[in-house]
Every structure is written in structure tokens, then in C-alpha cells.
Amino acid sequence: MTYTLLISTDDTKGLVYNISSILYQHDLNIEKNDEFVDKEHNSFFMRTEIVGTLDEAKLLSQIKQALPQGAKVKLITKRKKSLILLATKENHCIGDLLLRYENNELNADIKAVIANRENLKTLVERFGIPFYWVDSDNKPKAQYEREMIQIIDSFKPDFLALAKYMRILSPDFVRHYKDMIINIHHSFLPAFVGANPYKQAYDRGVKIIGATAHFVTQDLDGGPIIAQDITQINHTYSWQDMQKAGRNIEKNVFALALDLVLNDRVFLNGNKTIIF
């Protein structure tokens, strides 16, 4: 059996040695190990891939005893995570994820797609994935979100991915799925807010287009960043060319961020992330 051991704790001497010794005592093989020390906050992070047969409760108990008080320890069995996609009507990010899913390139089991528009129904159902349309225009926001939560909770997902979902989530919704929601957006924020940011960027002569994937928190578009990328453009680009280039970056950055999260490679460290 393959496991991933995740540890975050105050930094002290001998942590790697102590943890490795316990794994050795349990006859577990370390296939990959990464660690990082945040010196500013004296914090230690460790991600270890291990193989073998183990008594989970006993192993975790011994590791916690060897760590400073307050340490966070997770032992995760290697498996596909369950994922729900939230969308509106843009198809580039969700289409890319569905293709990766069909080609077994995404370490996830996509349980459903929930959208506040019906545009993507035909696309989604081609992949044999349930599609739920929850109308957001003709009911109070609280009722709309309650309906979404009822659907989402029936699947008990590990994560939610906002595949160009164009609604602002309420604090209650975000709190209900704390540290579970991943979003993607262009990196023009906060400069170009609102409709057609690419036209706004074109009018300002922007020379770089980018995308940012992050965890969703109460701070709108200000959660811990998981992945980013940029591409250079020039004066020959129309705003439509810029939009096309931006969408390509968005889908690639989103897929990368989800790959990192789904494979347990991301630690939250305040409003930042540690990526292994």
C-alpha cells in the first residue's frame, strides 16, 4: 500500500531523523521525501511518500509523540480524490478538465458538474458525468446556495473546482467548504475588474497576460495562491487574440493547480502555500 505522510509543525532539531527512524521501525520504505523550513515563522513542513503495510493508529501516535506540541500530521492513502466542478457558461477550463479526466490524466473522480446556466449540459453529459442546473437568477442567493450545498454534500467531495464559475460565493458557503475550493481567474485583478477585462487590458496596452489559481477564502480572489503563469504579448494582438491567449493560460494553470492539490502536494501556510 502507498501512503503520503504530511507534517507541519514548529521547527526543532532532529525532526527528519526522528520521523525517518519511526518509519524504519515500522518497516516502511520511503520512496520520496521533501521538507522545507519557513525560517521567518520557524515552521517545518514535510511530505513523505511511503510504501508498506502499517498500523495507522500506532504509526500516527508515535510520530505525534516525536513532534512538538500542536503538530499537524496526516497520513493519506493513495487514491483518486472526489471532485465537483462548478461552472457558468465558459467552456475552456471545464472542457480541458473533462478531456484530461477521460484520458485518465486527472487524479480525480469527477462526481458532478453544477452550473448556474444550462449552456454546458450537452458538453458535460458527453462524458457521462451528471449535470445539475441550479438557476441563480430567479431566487434569493441564500436559497440558491442551499440548493447547491444539498447537491454537493450528497456526493461528499474532497474538493470543489470553480471552472470559470462567475458568481461570488457567500461567506457561509466558503466557510462550509473551508480549504476545499479552488478557483481560476485571469491575473489582471485588481486592475481590470468587471466585464471583458481583456478589452480593458487591450485599451491600456498590456504586454503580459497571466492566470492565477488559488484557494477560495473570505477575501475575494485573495486566497493562498497555488499556481500562476504568464505569456508575453505585443501591439499586434487584438483584444480577441489576448482573450484566446489568456484562456489557454487559464486552463493550463487550473489543471496544474488541481494536479498539485489532488496529489497532496500543497500545504497551506497562512495566506501562502508550500508546494512540493
Side-chain angles (χ1 to χ4, degrees), residues 89-97 100 120 163-164 166 184-188 195-199 208-212 229-231 233 237-255:
K89 60 182 180 180
E90 292 190 55
N91 61 14
H92 59 289
C93 283
I94 193 166
D96 179 70
L97 292 178
R100 292 174 188 266
L120 300 171
K164 301 302 289 184
M166 306 306 288
I184 182 68
H185 59 71
H186 58 79
S187 288
F188 293 139
N196 205 337
Y198 290 98
K199 180 62 166 63
I208 295 175
I209 291 175
T212 295
D229 199 4
I230 60 168
T231 189
I233 62 170
Y237 281 64
S238 66
W239 73 262
Q240 293 91 343
D241 294 331
M242 293 170 60
Q243 185 181 61
K244 181 179 179 181
R247 285 174 173 171
N248 284 334
I249 298 173
E250 286 175 358
K251 66 185 183 183
N252 290 333
V253 169
F254 199 35

Side-chain angles (χ1 to χ4, degrees), residues 11-269:
D11 187 38
T12 59
K13 290 183 179 179
L15 285 175
V16 175
Y17 173 80
N18 292 337
I19 297 165
S20 300
S21 297
I22 293 171
L23 296 177
Y24 178 78
Q25 291 167 19
H26 284 257
D27 197 28
L28 296 169
N29 185 49
I30 297 175
E31 292 201 333
K32 192 174 189 305
N33 188 70
D34 295 283
E35 64 264 354
F36 171 74
V37 176
D38 177 354
K39 295 182 180 180
E40 182 179 357
H41 300 98
N42 194 45
S43 299
F44 173 84
F45 300 87
M46 182 170 173
R47 178 186 185 275
T48 307
E49 295 180 9
I50 55 179
V51 175
T53 302
L54 56 81
D55 181 331
E56 182 174 335
K58 184 176 180 181
L59 177 65
L60 288 175
S61 175
Q62 286 186 277
I63 289 176
K64 288 178 180 179
Q65 290 176 19
L67 298 176
Q69 190 172 4
K72 296 178 181 179
V73 183
K74 286 185 180 180
L75 184 64
I76 303 169
T77 304
K78 188 174 182 179
R79 64 175 177 84
K80 286 190 173 183
K81 304 294 194 299
S82 59
L83 181 67
I84 286 182
L85 307 181
L86 272 60
T88 296
K89 60 182 180 180
E90 292 190 55
N91 61 14
H92 59 289
C93 283
I94 193 166
D96 179 70
L97 292 178
L98 292 174
L99 285 170
R100 292 174 188 266
Y101 176 70
E102 184 176 62
N103 292 329
N104 202 30
E105 297 173 4
L106 195 66
N107 187 30
D109 181 8
I110 299 179
K111 296 294 188 180
V113 172
I114 304 173
N116 63 321
R117 296 286 187 274
E118 291 185 279
N119 307 59
L120 300 171
K121 178 179 173 67
T122 302
L123 170 65
V124 172
E125 291 182 344
R126 286 177 191 164
F127 293 86
I129 295 172
F131 178 88
Y132 296 86
W133 172 49
V134 183
D135 182 14
S136 63
D137 293 335
N138 300 303
K139 63 190 68 169
K141 184 173 184 177
Q143 179 185 344
Y144 163 72
E145 289 195 344
R146 280 198 302 272
E147 291 179 19
M148 283 210 304
I149 288 172
Q150 185 175 16
I151 297 168
I152 293 168
D153 285 356
S154 71
F155 289 102
K156 298 180 172 59
D158 293 298
F159 295 101
L160 309 179
L162 308 187
K164 301 302 289 184
Y165 174 74
M166 306 306 288
R167 294 276 294 183
I168 296 175
L169 297 170
S170 72
D172 286 341
F173 188 97
V174 174
R175 193 177 303 112
H176 189 77
Y177 300 108
K178 187 176 184 298
D179 300 336
M180 290 174 56
I181 311 174
I182 298 98
N183 189 28
I184 182 68
H185 59 71
H186 58 79
S187 288
F188 293 139
L189 295 173
F192 306 127
V193 179
N196 205 337
Y198 290 98
K199 180 62 166 63
Q200 297 178 54
Y202 171 80
D203 292 338
R204 284 289 303 275
V206 162
K207 298 296 187 288
I208 295 175
I209 291 175
T212 295
H214 63 91
F215 284 104
V216 175
T217 64
Q218 306 292 348
D219 183 9
L220 180 63
D221 292 325
I225 293 170
I226 305 167
Q228 292 179 298
D229 199 4
I230 60 168
T231 189
Q232 300 281 339
I233 62 170
N234 58 46
H235 62 278
T236 67
Y237 281 64
S238 66
W239 73 262
Q240 293 91 343
D241 294 331
M242 293 170 60
Q243 185 181 61
K244 181 179 179 181
R247 285 174 173 171
N248 284 334
I249 298 173
E250 286 175 358
K251 66 185 183 183
N252 290 333
V253 169
F254 199 35
L256 172 60
L258 286 172
D259 184 67
L260 292 168
V261 170
L262 294 169
N263 286 287
D264 305 305
R265 303 180 69 86
V266 181
F267 284 86
L268 287 169
N269 183 24

